[in-house]
Amino acid sequence: MFCKLMFLRTVLVIMVCVVSATASSPDPVRPVITEAPAPTLAGDGWDTYFEMSEGLETATYKQTAAYCVELAKASPWLNMTNFGKSPQGRDLILMIADRDGDFTPEASRKAGKAVLLLQAGIHAGEIDGKDAGMMLLRDIAVRKIHPELLEHLTILFMPIFNVDGHERFGPDNRANQNGPAEMGWRVTAQGLNLNRDYVKADAPEMRAWLDLYTAWLPDFYIDSHVSDGADFRHVVMYGLELGGNLDPGLTDWTRDVYLEDFSSALADDGYPVMPYGGFRRWQDPRSGIRVWAAGPRYSQGYAAIQNRPALLLETHMFKDHKTRVDATYKVFLHTAEIMSRNHAALLKAVA
C-alpha cells in the first residue's frame, strides 16, 4: 500500500509540473500575433510609431497601412496602392512618390525620370527599412524637407513585402537582434523564404512582385535587411554587383559614381560602410573576408540579370534598432540624392 501511494504521489507531482510548464510556455509552432496600443500623435502629428516609441518599437501591419493612408491623403505627391495580396489576404502595399503625379511606369518614363525602388521586410523580422522609408516619404512629401529629390525621380516604396510573416509578431523571432521590442518572422505563411524565390517564384507574393518589377524596371533598387553573423564595428554593410554579372557600363556607374558618393556621404554621417561578405574560413576572422556575385534567386542578383543595379543593405543586428533605422534612412536619402544628381548618366547607362 505504501509503495502504491508513493507511486500515485509521484505521478501527481509530474502531472502538476507538466500542466504548469504548458501554461507558462507558449506553443512554439503557433504564430504569436499582438497589437501594440495606438500611440498618441506628437509634434506636428506626423511622427511615426517608431519615433513615438523613441526607437524601441516598430508598427504593426495595420498601423503601417493606416499611416500610409494618411500620408497619401495629405500630399498629392503620394499615391498608395497595392501590387497583390498575400496568402492570408493582406494587401501588398506600394507607395509611389512623384511630385508631378506620374504614378504609372509609362508616365514616369515619358517624363524622363529615374525610378528608385525601396523594399523593406522581405525578411519581416529585419524591418528597419519600413520605419526609415515611411519617415523619408513623409519628410519629402508632407514636411517638404527634401522636396528636390523628386525633381528627377519617381520613388516606389514597399513598407512590408512579407506581410504575413510580419504579422507573426513576437519578441523572440530574431533572438540575436537588438530590437525592436517585437518583430515579424523570416518566412511567409507558406514557409517560403522570399529572398530565395526570385527565379523559381513559388510564392504568390513573389509572382506579384515580378509583375511589378517587370512593369516598372526600376533604375536602382534597394533591398533592406538586418545582418546575421559576425560582430563588425560597422552599422552599414552593402552588397553591390561589381564582379562582372552586370553590363560593363552599369558596373562602372555603380562602382565609380554610386559607391564612391555613397561611401563618402555615409562616412560623413558617422556610418562608414563595408562590403557584405563572409570569412574565408568559417568562424576565423584572421582568414580575411570574401565577397561574391549574387545568384539570381537573391534580390540584387535578380536585378543584375535584368541589367539594373541594386543594393543589398545589411544593417548590423547587434546595433540598436534606433541606430539601424537612422542609418537606413541615410542610405535611402543619399541614394536618392545620388540618383537625382546623376539621373541622366544613369538613364544613359541603363539604356
Side-chain angles (χ1 to χ4, degrees):
M1 177 64 72
F2 176 77
C3 292
K4 288 182 179 179
L5 288 174
M6 290 301 294
F7 172 76
L8 289 173
R9 181 184 177 191
T10 302
V11 170
L12 180 60
V13 169
I14 292 172
M15 290 176 64
V16 169
C17 291
V18 169
V19 170
S20 299
T22 303
S24 61
S25 301
D27 183 348
V29 177
R30 185 182 303 138
V32 181
I33 302 174
T34 62
E35 275 294 334
T40 302
L41 292 176
D44 62 357
W46 288 108
D47 291 347
T48 63
Y49 192 90
F50 159 80
E51 290 169 304
M52 287 183 284
S53 73
E54 297 184 349
L56 299 177
E57 300 180 34
T58 191
T60 65
Y61 172 83
K62 288 182 180 179
Q63 291 165 339
T64 300
Y67 188 84
C68 289
V69 166
E70 294 306 312
L71 283 179
K73 286 180 181 177
S75 174
W77 294 5
L78 296 176
N79 181 45
M80 181 181 177
T81 183
N82 71 78
F83 62 99
K85 282 192 179 290
S86 73
Q88 292 183 340
R90 296 181 177 91
D91 286 337
L92 303 175
I93 299 168
L94 178 70
M95 297 292 289
I96 307 173
D98 189 286
R99 73 179 195 179
D100 301 311
D102 294 328
F103 296 134
T104 66
E106 297 76 16
S108 179
R109 287 195 199 101
K110 186 176 179 181
K113 294 171 183 172
V115 177
L116 169 61
L117 171 58
L118 305 175
Q119 176 181 288
I122 188 171
H123 294 151
E126 306 169 30
I127 203 60
D128 302 355
K130 174 188 68 180
D131 297 311
M134 287 194 294
M135 292 190 296
L136 180 63
L137 290 194
R138 173 204 63 200
D139 289 348
I140 292 173
V142 177
R143 289 180 174 170
K144 300 295 196 298
I145 297 174
H146 306 292
E148 73 284 352
L149 294 180
L150 295 184
E151 184 175 356
H152 302 293
L153 293 185
T154 300
I155 299 177
L156 312 178
F157 172 51
M158 298 175 186
I160 310 168
F161 187 6
N162 177 13
V163 290
D164 293 343
H166 184 277
E167 291 309 275
R168 185 175 169 172
F169 227 49
D172 304 316
N173 288 340
R174 295 270 293 169
N176 292 333
Q177 185 172 293
N178 188 2
E182 294 185 277
M183 71 286 289
W185 190 248
R186 182 176 180 84
V187 298
T188 69
Q190 297 176 318
L192 296 171
N193 184 342
L194 290 176
N195 202 28
R196 306 293 186 273
D197 200 38
Y198 282 86
V199 173
K200 61 187 179 67
D202 284 336
E205 298 98 323
M206 182 55 73
R207 293 194 290 273
W209 185 96
L210 289 166
D211 286 342
L212 174 78
Y213 189 91
T214 303
W216 281 92
L217 282 176
D219 301 291
F220 201 91
Y221 165 34
I222 299 180
D223 182 18
S224 175
H225 290 253
V226 181
S227 75
D228 295 311
D231 186 4
F232 297 105
R233 72 181 180 92
H234 298 77
V235 179
V236 175
M237 294 170 284
Y238 68 86
L240 288 168
E241 296 311 300
L242 303 174
N245 56 339
L246 192 65
D247 175 83
L250 284 170
T251 301
D252 292 344
W253 186 91
T254 303
R255 181 189 60 243
D256 300 335
V257 178
Y258 177 76
L259 182 56
E260 186 79 19
D261 290 355
F262 169 81
S263 301
S264 176
L266 266 292
D268 289 344
D269 290 331
Y271 295 117
V273 301
M274 67 170 285
Y276 182 66
F279 297 135
R280 290 180 181 275
R281 291 193 300 273
W282 180 244
Q283 294 187 337
D284 182 4
R286 294 168 297 182
S287 65
I289 294 173
R290 63 186 179 92
V291 297
W292 52 86
R297 67 176 181 158
Y298 300 103
S299 58
Q300 76 275 29
Y302 178 80
I305 66 169
Q306 291 277 18
N307 262 323
R308 297 296 189 278
L311 173 77
L312 172 69
L313 168 62
E314 296 275 358
T315 54
H316 200 282
M317 63 180 178
F318 292 155
K319 309 304 187 289
D320 65 86
H321 183 51
K322 188 175 187 304
T323 298
R324 299 195 320 262
V325 171
D326 180 68
T328 301
Y329 180 99
K330 296 293 175 54
V331 169
F332 289 175
L333 171 64
H334 293 315
T335 298
E337 290 172 338
I338 294 165
M339 287 182 66
S340 183
R341 286 196 303 268
N342 300 280
H343 70 281
L346 173 58
L347 291 175
K348 182 179 179 181
V350 166

